[in-house]
Amino acid sequence: MSFKPANNIQDLQYFGEFGGVNPSISDSSTYTFLSAKTMFHTFEGNADGCYLYSRHSSPSNLYLGEALAAMEDTETANVTASGMGAITSVIMQLCNAGDHIISSRTIYGGTYAFFKNFIPKFHIEASFVDITKPETVKTAITKQTKVLYCESVSNPLLEVADIRALAKIAKEHNLSLVVDNTFSPLSISPATLGANVVIHSLTKFINGSSDTVGGVVCGTQKFINDLRNVNDGAGMLLGSTMDSLRAASILKNLRTLHIRMQQHSKNGLYLATKFEADGLRTVYPGLTSHPSHELFKSMMHTEYGFGGMLTVDVGTLKKANELMELMQHRNLGYLAVSLGFYKTLFSAPGTSTSSEIPEDEQKAMGLSDGLIRFSIGLDADIERTYQMMKACMVELGILKR
Ligand code: PLP
């Protein structure tokens, strides 16, 4: 009798060198060779299974990379020291001077700043468009366009990219579709929908314990080889390599991601439904009121839900700040940036994670002052959390009793 695969991560089987249930951690920056000839071949990239120097690759980084590639259904992956390390090396690898990028206008503030302020130094230009309108994307394409860039679910506005439609456009115009899937691991698999490169900030849900930064680039063997090329690979030459000890610890956390995502999603949907019913302006892809609810459903792996991110607009920055301070005081979560922690995290993106975006542009994209971004935690009793959050809102006059 044959059984279907368990799940892509559970099915991986790696042992430590003494039979440990976890792979041994590679604690070396450099590797010896019995023959000088093999060292030369390794340098040339022609000696499979040999390691040269840990900025290039290391066993621990390869284990984590292979697990993430299995998760994203790509041929392979390269882990990096941070999500920005993944994003910047991919863009520098794909683009030359004179090239053009079309990016979603609602993306993580650091990525936005990199596109807007940094890459022009290398004569690479970015146009920012409303990614939910494929026609607008098409209109923005020029002869110089090389990359189409978006987040599956955008930070912080939770816009949803139609990855199938974007992949079709990319294919027609010979562009690389690069998708940052940080907000929707397991729920959405961009590569199976046609993305060429999938990126994550591992700092968030995937590691899930807010104790490190990390990133990954998932793609074809050819693209990852190019990134690691000792002569002209942006991964190798810009040096955004993950440390092996961290790779080992992230791999251990990755194994519980499927359970954590289910709980984040369950709690996210519960709170979003309640907040919306209370009359708060709530954005969550799992709500039927979300403009891309059906689109998300058409792309998702149902069992992992709509994710743990939601936003609520409480009207003004003053009210948002008061509410976040009170919720922290009552131990309902932390006033902190980042996401994917066991505890709920909240911040006002306009003055924090998206502050790189000028105020007029924030307004144009609908990022209002009173917006609070929630990364919903793994709370065991979400009904209690809701009642306590509601009490804070009533106390501050945001909601009526
Ligand atoms: N992508 C998204 C969607 C993010 O939210 C972030 C960080 O907040 C990043 C990328 C950057 O990741 P890192 O902070 O790990 O460099």
Side-chain angles (χ1 to χ4, degrees):
M1 192 173 167
S2 68
F3 295 94
K4 67 177 192 174
N7 92 22
N8 289 351
I9 296 165
Q10 193 180 328
D11 279 336
L12 293 172
Q13 199 182 42
Y14 296 131
F15 300 111
E17 58 190 315
F18 301 108
V21 295
N22 291 304
S24 308
I25 300 174
S26 41
D27 199 19
S28 299
S29 58
T30 190
Y31 303 81
T32 57
F33 290 85
L34 289 178
S35 98
K37 204 161 151 218
T38 319
M39 181 187 254
F40 174 75
H41 288 315
T42 309
F43 233 105
E44 295 286 296
N46 299 327
D48 257 6
C50 290
Y51 297 91
L52 182 72
Y53 184 62
S54 287
R55 176 154 45 78
H56 188 244
S57 70
S58 69
S60 295
N61 288 14
L62 285 193
Y63 286 133
L64 177 60
E66 289 315 307
L68 290 163
M71 180 183 92
E72 284 298 1
D73 233 330
T74 57
E75 286 174 18
T76 189
N78 190 47
V79 293
T80 51
S82 68
M84 285 310 294
I87 293 164
T88 53
S89 58
V90 165
I91 296 300
M92 297 317 279
Q93 190 67 34
L94 290 173
C95 294
N96 294 316
D99 287 345
H100 173 242
I101 296 171
I102 298 174
S103 167
S104 164
R105 61 183 185 167
T106 79
I107 47 171
Y108 166 59
T111 313
Y112 180 89
F114 177 65
F115 288 168
K116 176 128 183 175
N117 307 326
F118 199 90
I119 54 174
K121 284 203 247 187
F122 302 97
H123 303 285
I124 304 167
E125 296 295 332
S127 307
F128 298 95
V129 301
D130 181 347
I131 208 80
T132 63
K133 298 199 172 75
E135 283 313 310
T136 319
V137 174
K138 271 192 201 162
T139 320
I141 297 173
T142 70
K143 280 202 174 65
Q144 280 68 42
T145 310
K146 279 277 165 59
V147 170
L148 204 50
Y149 185 94
C150 67
E151 295 170 359
S152 341
V153 179
S154 77
N155 183 359
L157 293 179
L158 310 181
E159 287 181 351
V160 179
D162 186 342
I163 299 169
R164 282 191 195 94
L166 294 172
K168 190 161 172 270
I169 297 172
K171 200 164 183 192
E172 277 163 15
H173 295 85
N174 203 19
L175 315 176
S176 295
L177 176 62
V178 179
V179 179
D180 178 338
N181 198 29
T182 302
F183 274 31
S184 44
L186 293 177
S187 295
I188 296 179
S189 303
T192 63
L193 302 168
N196 303 100
V197 179
V198 182
I199 289 173
H200 281 276
S201 163
L202 301 177
T203 317
K204 312 295 161 39
F205 289 103
I206 291 182
N207 184 54
S209 50
S210 293
D211 57 358
T212 186
V213 287
V216 68
V217 180
C218 304
T220 60
Q221 189 69 55
K222 169 160 187 337
F223 183 64
I224 300 300
N225 286 350
D226 288 350
L227 270 181
R228 289 196 188 125
N229 190 300
V230 290
N231 293 308
D232 59 5
M236 178 71 183
L237 299 177
L238 299 178
S240 57
T241 312
M242 178 176 279
D243 182 72
S244 292
L245 294 175
R246 275 305 181 193
S249 74
I250 296 172
L251 178 64
K252 283 175 266 187
N253 289 350
L254 175 66
R255 293 166 180 162
T256 55
L257 181 67
H258 58 299
I259 298 168
R260 289 186 280 113
M261 285 318 294
Q262 285 168 0
Q263 187 73 7
H264 284 301
S265 291
K266 175 174 160 261
N267 288 352
L269 181 61
Y270 183 90
L271 286 183
T273 307
K274 290 287 188 184
F275 288 155
E276 185 174 60
D278 286 335
L280 285 171
R281 265 195 286 158
T282 311
V283 175
Y284 181 71
L287 294 175
T288 51
S289 59
H290 190 290
S292 301
H293 175 66
E294 289 303 324
L295 170 63
F296 195 116
K297 269 171 66 179
S298 77
M299 297 193 293
M300 77 190 289
H301 300 292
T302 320
E303 62 271 38
Y304 300 113
F306 295 92
M309 302 302 295
L310 63 90
T311 68
V312 167
D313 192 340
V314 296
T316 62
L317 179 61
K318 184 167 174 291
K319 278 275 172 253
N321 287 343
E322 282 172 5
L323 177 61
M324 292 190 294
E325 286 167 13
L326 187 58
M327 288 191 298
Q328 175 161 265
H329 183 69
R330 305 256 160 96
N331 199 14
L332 290 166
Y334 296 142
L335 204 181
V337 296
S338 202
L339 41 130
F341 199 34
Y342 84 102
K343 197 107 172 167
T344 294
L345 303 178
F346 30 79
S347 55
T351 51
S352 59
T353 47
S354 297
S355 58
E356 294 91 341
I357 304 173
E359 253 176 64
D360 51 330
E361 288 177 39
Q362 289 194 20
K363 281 216 169 63
M365 64 175 70
L367 209 172
S368 50
D369 278 353
L371 197 81
I372 302 178
R373 186 189 76 178
F374 285 80
S375 162
I376 306 301
L378 300 172
D379 307 28
D381 184 351
I382 197 64
E383 196 179 333
R384 169 187 176 272
T385 304
Y386 164 67
Q387 295 297 349
M388 288 179 70
M389 283 184 175
K390 185 168 177 184
C392 294
M393 293 180 195
V394 170
E395 213 169 302
L396 295 171
I398 295 165
L399 278 182
K400 295 208 170 55
R401 199 168 293 280

